[in-house]
Amino acid sequence: PGIGFGKDRSGTWPAHNLALLRRLDRLGELGFPILLGVSRKRFIRAVDPSAVDAGDRLGGSLAAALWGARMGVKAVRVHDVRETVQALKVCAAIGAAG
């Protein structure tokens, strides 16, 4: 869906990225698998201004990857593989718990 690419020069691109993420399930209705690349993206800094450096955005990256999984994405592109896999496993286990 093009997360992280500037949508326009008006300064509203963080809102555009969040709106795309919010509606990932609608994109999935088109019938194509979705690859989501949200790892360390600048929109995370727009939500949390303390995440100045890309390395400070792990929490936001994990949250966005988990949201994507919830919305049915088929793959996520990440920098922090071990942490993302662990987060996805825990999220899946919680969902599967009786």
Side-chain angles (χ1 to χ4, degrees), residues 12-64:
T12 60
W13 57 267
H16 292 166
N17 288 316
L18 293 170
L20 280 170
L21 288 167
R22 174 68 180 93
R23 294 173 180 89
L24 281 174
D25 56 338
R26 303 258 336 259
L27 286 175
E29 291 172 4
L30 297 173
F32 298 99
I34 296 173
L35 167 64
L36 185 62
V38 291
S39 183
R40 301 184 187 182
K41 295 288 186 169
R42 281 191 316 160
F43 83 90
I44 297 168
R45 181 179 178 186
V47 174
D48 177 8
S50 72
V52 175
D53 296 321
D56 297 331
R57 300 178 191 154
L58 175 59
S61 298
L62 293 173

